[in-house]
Amino acid sequence: VADIADLLAESEKTERPLKEWEINSSPSDEWIALQGDQGVLEIMKSAPARYAGLRINGELIAVGRAAIQDKWTVLTRLFVLSEYRGTGHVRELVRALIGDAMALGATKTMLQVNATNTGAILLYQNMGFRQHHTYLYRSLQASQSETQC
């Protein structure tokens, strides 16, 4: 015999936080704001993609994008709030995105990660990814006449 209120109060102390996954065909304003993606929004919208988010107790704490083309899916914009890193959420995020992509016909995946993010690279290698290639971003410097306008 037990009082229900006491049981519920005790279980709240020991239960894991409520996790909710959402996967949509376009990013919400909250998804975009989580890592400040306003600057790349037009690029992200240029290809069909799926946008995953993980909420813990209603707070959006992790996001990721999977662009799907033919049998390939490209994972980009994977991000977890710093206070939630190191707890397995990125693994869950990758699994959610590739599971969704597989249901849509993808059979191969690749991901894009900053070469200086050694922690993420190690995690992805442990998940079974391997490095295929690296790349550099280049930008044109303004000529002197352009800067004097």
Side-chain angles (χ1 to χ4, degrees), residues 35-128:
Q35 60 176 318
D37 271 343
Q38 295 83 355
V40 295
L41 184 57
E42 290 306 311
I43 294 170
M44 289 192 303
K45 288 184 174 181
S46 69
R50 304 287 283 169
Y51 298 84
L54 171 60
R55 292 182 182 279
I56 294 186
N57 296 329
E59 177 187 8
L60 187 63
I61 64 103
V63 294
R65 177 180 181 268
I68 302 165
Q69 180 67 44
D70 299 322
K71 299 289 182 184
W72 280 93
T73 185
V74 181
L75 304 179
T76 61
R77 312 308 298 159
L78 301 173
F79 179 79
V80 177
L81 289 176
S82 60
E83 60 267 31
Y84 291 95
R85 292 180 186 159
T87 58
H89 297 310
V90 171
R91 285 181 186 272
E92 293 178 49
L93 179 60
V94 168
R95 286 187 191 118
L97 285 166
I98 62 176
D100 184 66
M102 194 168 133
L104 295 171
T107 59
K108 299 280 187 188
T109 189
M110 61 182 148
L111 62 82
Q112 184 177 22
V113 63
N114 188 315
T116 62
N117 193 344
T118 55
I121 291 169
L122 181 60
L123 170 70
Y124 300 137
Q125 287 173 342
N126 288 337
M127 292 181 73

